[in-house]
Amino acid sequence: MTQMDAARAGIITVQIRQVAEDEGRSPEFVLDGVAQGRIAIPANVRHVDLGLHACGVGAGLKTKVNVNLGISGDIQNAPQEWEKVAVAEKYGADAIMDLSNSGKTRPFRQQLIAKTPLMVGTVPMYDAIGYLDKPLVKLTGDDILRVIKAHAEDGVDFMTIHAGFNRRVLDTFLETKRLTNIVSRGGSLIFGLMMTTGCENPFYERFDDILEILHEYDVTISLGDAMRGGCTYDATDASEVAELVELGKLTKRAWDAGVQVVVEGPGHMALDEVAANMKLEKRLCHDAPFYVLGPLVTDIGVGYDHITAAIGGATAAMSGADWLCYVTPAEHLKLPDVNDVREGLIATKIAAHAGDIAKGIPGARDIDNRMSDARRRVNWDDMFACALDPERAKEILALAPPEEDGTCTMCGKMCAARTVNRIMEGLTVDLGDDLPGADLAEDDEAPSGAVVTEAEE
C-alpha cells in the first residue's frame, strides 16, 4: 500500500502524521492532499526502514529545496560528495538527488540512502549505461526496467522518469526547432536512442511496467522535463508544451495505479513568463506538485546563476511551484564543489522562503518577525539564531568588529535602532563627541550634520 493508497482509504500513516506535524497542518489536510494527488510524500518503504524523515511536497505546504550531487566521469571524488551531503543536511535541504553518472554508482547510492534522513532521488537513465555495461543504442525496455528495479530496491524515494518525451513530442521538436535544442541530459540520451534506432522512448513504451515497480516500493515518479527550455528564447515553446500535455496524461495514469507524482519544469524563462508557466503546468497536470529548476531568468548570469535562479525561483514559488531544485555558482561551468553547494542551497532556500511568505503559507512569517524583533533590540545572538546561514553572518560581523556594543561599523553610534531604543528608555543621546571633526578649534565651523549640544552653543 502506497501513501496514496492509504490516503484514499482514509488511513493516516506515520508519514502523513509526520508531515502534518512539520507543516503545522492537520493530518486530515495532508491526507486529503495525498489522496487527490496535490501532495506527494516520497517515502520508499526501504528508506523508511532505514530512518527516512518523511517530507511532503505540494499545495499548502512549505516550498521544498533539492540539492544535486554525485560522481562525474571527470571528477570521481567520493569524499567530496560526502562533504556535500553534510552541507545539504546542515543547511536545511529537504532532498538530495544523486546524479552520479560514471562507473558503478550503486555503492554510493546505497550508502547515501542508509545514512541520510533526507529524501533521495535519482535519474535511472544516467545510471543505465554504466550499470549494465551496454552502449546507449543497445538499451532495451527490459534493461530500463532492470535499472529502475535496482534503484527501487536500494530505497530511492523519487525517480526522474523522462516518459513524456515520446515520438509525438520528438516530431514537434524536429519540426519547430530551437535555439539551444535539448539541454536535459536524460532527454538528450533518449533523443539519441530514438533517433538512432527509430524506436519509441522505452520509458513511455513500458510506462505501465514502470508503475508496477514504483508502486511495489512506493517510489514517487518525478515526470522529467526533457523538453524544458535551455534558454529564455526557448521557454514555453511548442516542444515544452507538447511534452507537458503528455505529462498530464501520464500523471493520471500514475494516479490510477496508486503511484504518487511530481511534475518537473523549467529551466530558463524570462521573469514575466514565470507565473503563467506555473499556472499552465497546474492546469495541464491536474494540480500535481510542480518541481522546477530555477527557473533562470536571464542567460548571461554565468558565475552567478545561483542568484539568477533564486530570482526566478522566488517568483515560481510565489506562483505555485512546490519544489525548487537548487542552482549553484558553478552552473554551466563545472561540477560544483562544497562551497558552491552551500552558496546554491542558501540562495535557493531564500527563494523558497520568499515564495512561502508571498503565497501565505501558515507560519512562514514567524521567523522573519523574530528576526525583526532581534534587530530592533540589536541582539546579535538572537539574529544569528534566525539566520539561514548563521556561520556566514558571524564571519561577516567579525571582519569589522564595532567599537561600541550593540552597533556595527556601518552606522556605529548613529545606529537608528540604538538611538531610538535609548530615547525610548529615557536615556540621553549625545553624538556630538562621536562625529568626525568634533575636536575642531572654537573658531572653526562644526562639520555638516554634527549634533551641537547646548553647552557648546
Side-chain angles (χ1 to χ4, degrees), residues 341-390:
V341 171
R342 177 180 175 180
E343 294 287 328
L345 174 54
I346 295 299
T348 308
K349 284 186 66 68
I350 291 170
H353 184 65
D356 288 346
I357 292 173
K359 63 187 174 186
I361 296 298
R365 288 183 180 270
D366 290 353
I367 193 165
D368 294 78
N369 293 339
R370 292 198 295 274
M371 174 66 87
S372 299
D373 179 68
R375 283 177 172 157
R376 174 185 58 81
R377 294 182 285 107
V378 200
N379 186 311
W380 295 111
D381 288 338
D382 287 355
M383 283 187 252
F384 297 146
C386 297
L388 284 172
D389 187 349

Side-chain angles (χ1 to χ4, degrees), residues 138-446:
K138 297 292 186 181
L139 290 180
T140 66
D142 287 340
D143 292 332
I144 296 297
L145 293 179
R146 282 178 57 197
V147 176
I148 291 173
K149 179 80 169 180
H151 283 225
E153 289 176 341
D154 289 343
V156 172
D157 302 297
F158 62 100
M159 293 185 204
T160 295
I161 304 294
H162 295 93
F165 184 21
N166 56 23
R167 299 295 304 190
R168 287 188 293 272
V169 177
L170 175 62
D171 290 342
T172 298
F173 166 69
L174 294 174
E175 180 180 355
T176 59
K177 305 189 185 307
R178 275 184 159 183
L179 182 59
T180 56
N181 291 324
I182 298 171
V183 300
S184 161
R185 186 193 302 167
S188 69
L189 294 172
I190 293 169
F191 172 78
L193 181 62
M194 287 196 289
M195 291 294 289
T196 303
T197 65
C199 69
E200 178 60 276
N201 176 358
F203 289 97
Y204 178 76
E205 197 170 42
R206 304 295 295 273
F207 191 67
D208 291 331
D209 296 327
I210 292 171
L211 293 178
E212 285 186 18
I213 297 172
L214 302 186
H215 185 274
E216 180 181 355
Y217 296 89
D218 197 3
V219 178
T220 296
I221 187 168
S222 188
L223 291 170
D225 53 339
M227 288 288 104
R228 67 176 182 268
C231 65
T232 56
Y233 184 86
D234 293 337
T236 322
D237 67 352
S239 298
E240 183 179 320
V241 174
E243 183 183 38
L244 200 55
V245 170
E246 299 297 330
L247 296 183
K249 298 174 187 177
L250 296 176
T251 295
K252 283 202 165 184
R253 285 173 61 182
W255 285 345
D256 288 344
V259 174
Q260 300 181 96
V261 176
V262 170
V263 177
E264 297 185 13
H268 292 236
M269 181 172 296
L271 188 57
D272 64 324
E273 299 177 37
V274 175
N277 188 278
M278 301 303 110
K279 289 179 172 58
L280 180 64
E281 183 278 340
K282 291 289 185 176
R283 175 73 172 176
L284 293 179
C285 297
H286 321 293
D287 289 322
F290 199 22
Y291 175 29
V292 301
L293 176 70
L296 283 74
V297 295
T298 179
D299 302 318
I300 61 172
V302 61
Y304 299 90
D305 275 333
H306 58 311
I307 298 173
T308 307
I311 294 169
T315 306
M318 175 181 70
S319 305
D322 305 289
W323 197 352
L324 304 182
C325 184
Y326 88 154
V327 172
T328 78
E331 185 77 5
H332 302 113
L333 297 171
K334 69 177 182 70
L335 185 74
D337 61 24
V338 174
N339 189 61
D340 292 327
V341 171
R342 177 180 175 180
E343 294 287 328
L345 174 54
I346 295 299
T348 308
K349 284 186 66 68
I350 291 170
H353 184 65
D356 288 346
I357 292 173
K359 63 187 174 186
I361 296 298
R365 288 183 180 270
D366 290 353
I367 193 165
D368 294 78
N369 293 339
R370 292 198 295 274
M371 174 66 87
S372 299
D373 179 68
R375 283 177 172 157
R376 174 185 58 81
R377 294 182 285 107
V378 200
N379 186 311
W380 295 111
D381 288 338
D382 287 355
M383 283 187 252
F384 297 146
C386 297
L388 284 172
D389 187 349
E391 290 183 0
R392 179 62 175 152
K394 292 175 184 177
E395 290 169 3
I396 293 174
L397 180 65
L399 289 173
E403 294 182 3
E404 184 78 14
D405 289 340
T407 69
C408 76
T409 53
M410 179 70 179
C411 298
K413 289 186 178 180
M414 290 186 70
C415 170
R418 177 181 182 274
T419 297
V420 175
N421 287 343
R422 290 178 66 85
I423 291 173
M424 294 184 72
E425 292 168 6
L427 301 175
T428 300
V429 177
D430 182 358
L431 304 179
D433 292 339
D434 301 323
L435 294 173
D439 58 348
L440 290 172
E442 291 183 2
D443 58 345
D444 288 334
E445 293 184 3

